[in-house]
Amino acid sequence: MATWAEDEIGRKWDRCFTDALFKFGGGTLLGGVFSLFFFKRRKWPIITGAGFGLGMAYANCQEDLNSTIRQQKPKDCSKIDGEKKTGGAKTGGAKTSS
């Protein structure tokens, strides 16, 4: 059974693919309109529009997925940092005889 984080990441991936399809289609359509009316039916406006659409979808997806990673709690490393600063037992401190 999937945990909450796995379900959320799955939903975000689904949104990324849907967003990419819509933005790719919109960019292609807009590029086709510009190609038809302004650029004498050349291919490059269509390809450019599709590229812009995919680039926007990639940026949105990257931000959405990174927000999930940033929400996780960082581990407490203060104990490790404290040992390094104070010279813990494994740093070769002063020898004592007993």
Side-chain angles (χ1 to χ4, degrees), residues 1-2 7 19 23 31 37-38 41 43-44 46 49-50 54 57 60 64-65 70 75 78 80 89 92 95 97-98:
M1 186 171 191
D7 289 338
D19 189 39
K23 286 197 173 28
F37 290 121
F38 299 114
R41 296 184 181 167
K43 290 182 190 177
W44 67 266
I46 299 170
L54 284 177
N60 290 344
D64 199 21
L65 290 174
R70 277 186 246 134
K75 293 183 180 179
S78 61
I80 296 171
K95 295 182 182 179
S97 60
S98 44

Side-chain angles (χ1 to χ4, degrees), residues 86-98:
T86 59
K90 294 185 179 182
T91 60
K95 295 182 182 179
T96 57
S97 60
S98 44

